[in-house]
Amino acid sequence: MVSSRILERLVQRVESATALDRPADAAVGLAGKVIKPGVVEDALSGTPLGHPAHPVLVTLPIGAWTTGLMLDATGADDRAASAAVGLGILTALPTALTGVSDWTTTTGAERRVGLVHALSVDLALGLQTASWFARRRGKRGRGVALSATAMALTAVGGWLGGHLAYAMGVGVDTTAFQQLPGEWLDVAAEADVPADTALEVDADGVPVLLARVEGEVVALADRCTHRGAPLHEGVVENGCVTCPWHDSVFALRDGAVVSGPATRPQPALEVALEAGRVRVRRSEVRTLRTNPTGR
């Protein structure tokens, strides 16, 4: 469709707009001073939920503001519309924090689009706040106009958020489309698996991490589910591996997330030792993984 082509051209310009890098990097630097690794970052990322928190929370302010818009359109008592606008403002604040937390671990085109997305929704939040105050002063017409403009900006921000997730893959498990071997595959000599670091091996085109836990050889998908970092380059200790890019920690035995910002566990493979060789295979397969992709 013509409209989709126009939107794609516009967003491609944003993706390649290197002029956005300096303000984006500066904003990320400021956010990093507030959002520290640990419990707060994990909560904002959605680590306890097993999925990113931001996509869930965005439904709250959007739902509230849409309710306000419908009340305005029907000419209902402005107190109800004002309450809906106010609820949207309150829920937008934690929603924004979760989005910022996710955004700080992006780079390049994703960070540029994320900046424009953030500016759109932040401006919408500012207009909704102005609308709420206008309504409180009895200026309903002005409040309605401000809210309607804010909803248009929210639509822009929402489209960009969808582009980040569905077109650029931000927040998607980066191993989702990898096809790990379904049959036993010889990948290394047992003697080559180190005791205190990790070894990267090739499993039919998919990188796999081999390590030891209390002497036992274990295997995980090597590409971090969070942003795709090579886990074998991370620190191995206490039965865990730490991502070299964003410090997510995964249990080596089963790939469980010990600490974020990652939300999804690492796919773990079954391991068999035979005649001094290490063989691996996947323990399960999902439909989208039947069409293999490599690195």
Side-chain angles (χ1 to χ4, degrees), residues 17-271:
T18 56
L20 296 174
D21 289 344
R22 180 174 292 182
D25 292 345
V28 167
L30 290 174
K33 295 179 179 179
V34 178
I35 303 173
K36 300 292 185 181
V39 175
V40 173
E41 183 185 43
D42 286 2
L44 292 175
S45 297
T47 300
L49 301 176
H51 292 284
H54 187 63
V56 177
L57 291 183
V58 296
T59 61
L60 300 177
I62 290 177
W65 288 336
T66 301
T67 299
L69 186 68
M70 293 300 100
L71 290 171
D72 285 337
T74 57
D77 187 339
D78 191 49
R79 288 176 297 180
S82 181
V85 170
L87 178 61
I89 293 168
L90 290 176
T91 56
L93 298 177
T95 300
L97 284 174
T98 59
V100 169
S101 179
D102 291 346
W103 180 58
T104 59
T105 56
T106 61
T107 58
E110 292 85 355
R111 181 169 290 186
R112 295 166 195 149
V113 175
L115 176 64
V116 179
H117 164 71
L119 291 173
S120 300
V121 295
D122 287 349
L123 183 54
L125 174 58
L127 291 175
Q128 291 287 14
T129 303
S131 171
W132 187 82
F133 279 110
R135 295 168 192 269
R136 295 280 291 179
R137 298 190 185 103
K139 299 179 180 179
R140 181 175 186 179
R142 183 176 182 180
V144 170
L146 287 168
S147 287
T149 304
M151 286 303 293
L153 285 168
T154 300
V156 172
W159 190 91
L160 290 171
H163 184 80
L164 280 166
Y166 302 120
M168 307 185 83
V170 176
V172 176
D173 181 341
T174 63
T175 69
F177 301 103
Q178 288 186 328
Q179 187 185 40
L180 294 163
E183 303 297 330
W184 288 111
L185 180 68
D186 186 313
V187 292
E190 181 182 359
D192 290 340
V193 182
D196 54 1
T197 58
L199 173 70
E200 180 196 21
V201 296
D202 182 274
D204 198 19
V206 179
V208 168
L209 173 153
L210 297 181
R212 292 184 185 270
V213 178
E214 299 177 348
E216 178 186 352
V217 178
V218 295
L220 300 177
D222 186 56
R223 185 175 184 178
C224 180
T225 56
H226 178 235
R227 295 288 187 263
L231 286 183
H232 72 278
E233 296 180 4
V235 175
V236 172
E237 60 183 359
N238 300 322
C240 297
V241 60
T242 300
C243 175
W245 289 1
H246 304 117
D247 297 324
S248 296
V249 179
F250 302 92
L252 284 168
R253 283 195 183 277
D254 59 6
V257 181
V258 177
S259 66
T263 62
R264 300 296 303 153
Q266 288 298 126
L269 290 82
E270 296 180 24
V271 175

